[in-house]
Amino acid sequence: MSATTTTAPAKPRSLNIGRLLLEGRAFFALIAIIAVFSVLSPNYFTVGNLLIMSSQVAIYGILSVGMLLVILNGGIDLSVGSILALSGVVAGALMQGVEIDALGVILYPPVWAVVVLTLCVGATVGAVNGVLVAIFKVPPFVATLGVMYVARGVALLMTNGLTYNNLRGSEALGNTGFNWLGFYRIGGVPISVIVLAVVALAAGLMLARSAFGRWLYASGGNERAAELSGVPVKRVKITVYAVSGALAAVAGLVLASQLTSAGPTAGTTYELTAIAAVVIGGAALTGGRGNVRGTMLGAFVIGFLSAGLVIIGVSSYWQTVFTGAVIVLAVLMNSLQYGGGPRKG
């Protein structure tokens, strides 16, 4: 006689409103910001203004994607604002022409060469961060803090504290088109927003569907366990910091193109904005948890909030207070959501 077993039907999951609000905080915050400022200013929620705000948010968003990758790995990158400035200065210097003393001539690289060389500079500086953290075991906070000062100092030395202006280029010199990133549109959408969309989509696909994405989550969640499982932890660390530096260079190119100028003080405190966007988007600062979708929402929350405060005429001092309050609230909610975070080994 065979025994039969019965399985109790699974209980339907009850809707937890508190958890829903906690996990979707960035989305609900963005909706609330749009609703409030639309009431306070009729010009806020218009197609033209939304495109302008999105173009400004693009810089924060591109930086935030790189920061997300680093934070998922359990690190932090305080140098992205300085890398942004250094990259802009490098692009500005190249647009001014490279003097060859031996030949007595000045070479003006085409814009595509300026972009490629600038991206190489950003990726190289980011890779230095990665090597310091992965190979020499320097704490990420200390390593990137030092590189932050070095990158900013090099930018100041290159310009002697001045700013490169009028970076549009010249047809006669064959280097026109630098302002294409900042001013041109495709189908009414700013190029900078399209660049952000491409970066976010590529990062999202990489995290969701590639072996590297699985390695990144694994090493950020529990580095020791990931290493024992065969994950190339050091290579992952160096790569994410290099990608963060390259994306900071992209943001620097976009900003310099929008302003048609590049200076050594650009990007000051942008690293804090990028970290805030990642935290508001629900990523755990302890690593291993987070996604691109939330980070994009976090970047738009900060950008749309700042733009709204400007539109209704709030003092810049109060803008800082409001933005800081939002960040503190996001960190508190992050703590409620994740508690102590994943164990590091």
Side-chain angles (χ1 to χ4, degrees):
M1 180 175 180
S2 60
T4 59
T5 58
T6 58
T7 303
K11 294 182 179 180
R13 294 181 64 182
S14 59
L15 181 62
N16 189 323
I17 300 299
R19 186 171 183 80
L20 179 65
L21 291 173
L22 190 63
E23 294 181 348
R25 58 185 176 270
F27 174 76
F28 294 120
L30 182 60
I31 295 300
I33 288 169
I34 293 175
V36 169
F37 286 112
S38 295
V39 172
L40 296 177
S41 172
N43 296 322
Y44 183 82
F45 195 64
T46 61
V47 174
N49 191 55
L50 288 176
L51 288 174
I52 291 173
M53 291 191 298
S54 298
S55 181
Q56 296 168 346
V57 170
I59 297 169
Y60 297 149
I62 293 168
L63 280 178
S64 299
V65 171
M67 186 66 71
L68 170 67
L69 300 181
V70 173
I71 287 177
L72 285 176
N73 191 239
I76 201 76
D77 191 352
L78 300 180
S79 66
V80 292
S82 296
I83 296 176
L84 179 151
L86 176 61
S87 301
V89 165
V90 167
L94 292 172
M95 290 294 293
Q96 300 296 317
V98 180
E99 185 174 357
I100 309 297
D101 293 332
L103 301 177
V105 297
I106 299 177
L107 298 179
Y108 293 90
V111 170
W112 67 264
V114 171
V115 171
V116 170
L117 291 171
T118 302
L119 293 179
C120 289
V121 169
T124 300
V125 178
V128 170
N129 282 326
V131 169
L132 290 173
V133 174
I135 305 300
F136 295 98
K137 305 298 182 182
V138 180
F141 182 91
V142 177
T144 58
L145 181 65
V147 172
M148 177 186 77
Y149 280 108
V150 171
R152 185 77 66 180
V154 171
L156 288 165
L157 287 170
M158 288 179 64
T159 62
N160 199 26
L162 302 177
T163 299
Y164 291 117
N165 295 308
N166 193 25
L167 299 181
R168 292 182 176 86
S170 167
E171 289 187 9
L173 300 175
N175 64 346
T176 56
F178 185 78
N179 60 339
W180 187 75
L181 278 173
F183 288 95
Y184 281 59
R185 300 188 176 198
I186 295 178
V189 180
I191 296 296
S192 57
V193 176
I194 296 175
V195 171
L196 171 62
V198 170
V199 168
L201 180 61
L205 290 174
M206 181 273 292
L207 290 175
R209 301 188 179 183
S210 72
F212 184 84
R214 293 190 293 272
W215 292 346
L216 179 54
Y217 279 110
S219 59
N222 191 316
E223 184 175 307
R224 180 59 179 163
E227 193 169 23
L228 292 174
S229 300
V231 174
V233 172
K234 292 181 180 179
R235 193 193 336 159
V236 170
K237 280 184 183 292
I238 295 172
T239 300
V240 294
Y241 279 102
V243 171
S244 179
L247 291 178
V250 173
L253 287 168
V254 171
L255 180 61
S257 179
Q258 289 179 348
L259 301 175
T260 64
S261 65
T265 59
T268 303
T269 73
Y270 277 26
E271 60 277 352
L272 303 181
T273 302
I275 294 170
V278 175
V279 173
I280 291 173
L285 286 172
T286 47
R289 301 174 189 175
N291 56 63
V292 175
R293 179 181 63 255
T295 296
M296 289 297 96
L297 287 170
F300 275 89
V301 165
I302 294 176
F304 278 26
L305 173 63
S306 300
L309 293 173
V310 171
I311 289 174
I312 65 174
V314 174
S315 164
S316 60
Y317 306 128
W318 277 108
Q319 291 177 35
T320 303
V321 172
F322 283 125
T323 303
V326 169
I327 294 170
V328 170
L329 180 61
V331 172
L332 289 175
M333 297 185 75
N334 189 294
S335 298
L336 290 174
Q337 183 176 0
Y338 295 125
R343 187 170 57 87
K344 301 305 289 182

